[in-house]
Amino acid sequence: MPWTYRHASREFRAFLDDVKELMSLESDNMAYTAVDAVFQVFRRRLTAQQGLDFASVLPSIPRAIFVKDWIVENPPTPFTDRTTMTAEAKKVRVHHNLTPDNAIEATAWALRRSLDQRDLDRVLERIGPDAQSFWHVEVTNPDELAQRIV
């Protein structure tokens, strides 16, 4: 059995706690909504194959969130600047969305701590530079992004 299935709750708890802390959100519901919005913004810019490749390296619960309700027939939308894509994330579930301005960066940081970054970087490289930029995180110490649950 894959590790991520056996420890899905523990993995997701750590991921969600990182998201809540980085976004200064108070509840799991707020954090979930922000992550879901960031995932929707990213997946709008992918083909179905690219999305499945990306999802395949995610921990099990973020993987499920990423693919939930995805209409794969829609053509990919071009990547834009981070400010525009953050504004797009804020429009998801607008009446229940308290997504902050750092939503993409915070989700990327938490996601990188929840998986093997080499796998993520390999997939992002195949998707292209815009995808790499979307999930890029600036840190002064690379240890900040060390996988949290191993």
Side-chain angles (χ1 to χ4, degrees):
M1 175 186 305
W3 193 95
T4 188
Y5 297 162
R6 184 176 301 273
H7 302 282
S9 294
R10 185 172 155 217
E11 240 179 3
F12 188 57
R13 175 80 269 146
F15 171 72
L16 211 54
D17 286 347
D18 279 346
V19 168
K20 281 176 22 182
E21 181 181 335
L22 291 163
M23 291 190 204
S24 299
L25 296 172
E26 296 178 17
S27 75
D28 290 350
N29 291 342
M30 291 174 181
Y32 168 84
T33 297
V35 167
D36 181 41
V38 169
F39 281 167
Q40 287 185 47
V41 167
F42 182 66
R43 79 178 186 208
R44 279 188 196 115
R45 287 149 174 86
L46 305 178
T47 65
Q49 187 61 60
Q50 290 170 328
L52 290 173
D53 291 345
F54 176 76
S56 73
V57 300
L58 299 181
S60 59
I61 296 176
R63 181 183 311 154
I65 295 167
F66 182 78
V67 300
K68 182 183 181 302
D69 297 330
W70 188 11
I71 301 171
V72 297
E73 292 88 16
N74 292 343
T77 301
F79 282 89
T80 58
D81 61 273
R82 185 154 289 181
T83 302
T84 302
M85 290 187 289
T86 300
E88 185 180 330
K90 290 180 174 192
K91 292 178 184 174
V92 174
R93 294 182 63 209
V94 71
H95 299 296
H96 302 281
N97 191 332
L98 299 171
T99 298
D101 291 339
N102 72 336
I104 294 173
E105 294 91 340
T107 302
W109 194 91
L111 188 65
R112 285 188 169 279
R113 283 182 30 119
S114 70
L115 49 69
D116 185 330
Q117 291 185 58
R118 294 168 298 190
D119 293 338
L120 177 63
D121 290 336
R122 178 181 37 79
V123 168
L124 294 176
E125 184 176 355
R126 281 199 321 257
I127 296 171
D130 290 327
Q132 291 172 306
S133 178
F134 189 94
W135 295 105
H136 178 73
V137 176
E138 286 289 331
V139 293
T140 53
N141 180 358
D143 291 341
E144 290 178 50
L145 297 177
Q147 192 168 358
R148 184 172 184 184
I149 306 291
V150 181

